[in-house]
């Protein structure tokens, strides 16, 4: 059953995304260390002149939803317009690839309210 599931989702992923781009993004995400220079980070965050939209996945262990939500709250405390959304899925970090209907709903809502026109 596991092999079948992996094969199926591997083929679906391959149809929608370039494998090299996907691998590069995974390596990039794994190399980010936002704890370096926390004071400097807060100063840099204060300079954001855009609306921030965060999308978390409730079963993600790589980037836990609790951390994404905490970042959203920190942004709001700094006076930055920030929205938080959460995808419900049992598929962990890759749920945005599988639960694309939920992601599509989030994006459609964002485009309807035109959050990008706040600045």
């Amino acid at each position: 059953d596991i092999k079948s599931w992996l094969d199926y989702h591997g083929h679906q992923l391959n149809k929608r995304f370039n494998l090299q781009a996907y691998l590069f993004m995974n390596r990039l995400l794994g190399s980010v260390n936002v704890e370096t220079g926390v004071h400097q980070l807060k100063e840099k965050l204060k300079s954001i002149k855009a609306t921030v939209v965060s999308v978390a996945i409730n079963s993600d262990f790589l980037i836990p939803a609790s951390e994404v939500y905490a970042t959203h709250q920190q942004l709001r405390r700094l006076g930055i317009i920030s929205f938080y959304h959460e995808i419900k899925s049992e598929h962990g970090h890759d749920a945005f690839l599988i639960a694309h209907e939920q992601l599509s709903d989030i994006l459609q809502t964002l485009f309807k309210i035109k959050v990008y026109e706040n600045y």
Side-chain angles (χ1 to χ4, degrees), residues 4 22 37 44 50 53-54 63-64 77 97 117-118:
S4 173
Y22 181 74
K44 288 181 181 183
V53 179
S54 301
I63 305 171
R77 280 193 293 275
L97 302 169
E117 290 184 356
N118 286 330

Side-chain angles (χ1 to χ4, degrees), residues 55 87 95-97 99-109:
V55 180
I87 293 174
F96 74 97
L97 302 169
H100 47 84
E101 295 88 9
Q102 289 182 63
L103 184 58
S104 178
D105 290 345
I106 291 167
L107 294 174
Q108 286 180 24
T109 300

Side-chain angles (χ1 to χ4, degrees), residues 33-44:
N33 183 358
V34 296
E35 293 178 356
T36 303
V38 172
H39 177 70
Q40 294 168 350
L41 176 64
K42 286 182 182 179
E43 290 304 312
K44 288 181 181 183

Side-chain angles (χ1 to χ4, degrees), residues 43-106:
E43 290 304 312
K44 288 181 181 183
L45 289 176
K46 288 180 185 177
S47 70
I48 292 176
K49 301 279 190 255
T51 299
V52 176
V53 179
S54 301
V55 180
I57 301 166
N58 68 332
S59 58
D60 190 342
F61 292 113
L62 181 62
I63 305 171
S66 60
E67 291 181 13
V68 176
Y69 187 72
T71 301
H72 157 72
Q73 290 180 312
Q74 180 65 32
L75 290 168
R76 293 189 70 143
R77 280 193 293 275
L78 293 170
I80 298 163
I81 300 169
S82 178
F83 294 94
Y84 174 84
H85 300 274
E86 191 169 307
I87 293 174
K88 309 286 189 240
S89 173
E90 62 187 29
H91 298 291
H93 183 72
D94 290 335
F96 74 97
L97 302 169
I98 299 166
H100 47 84
E101 295 88 9
Q102 289 182 63
L103 184 58
S104 178
D105 290 345
I106 291 167

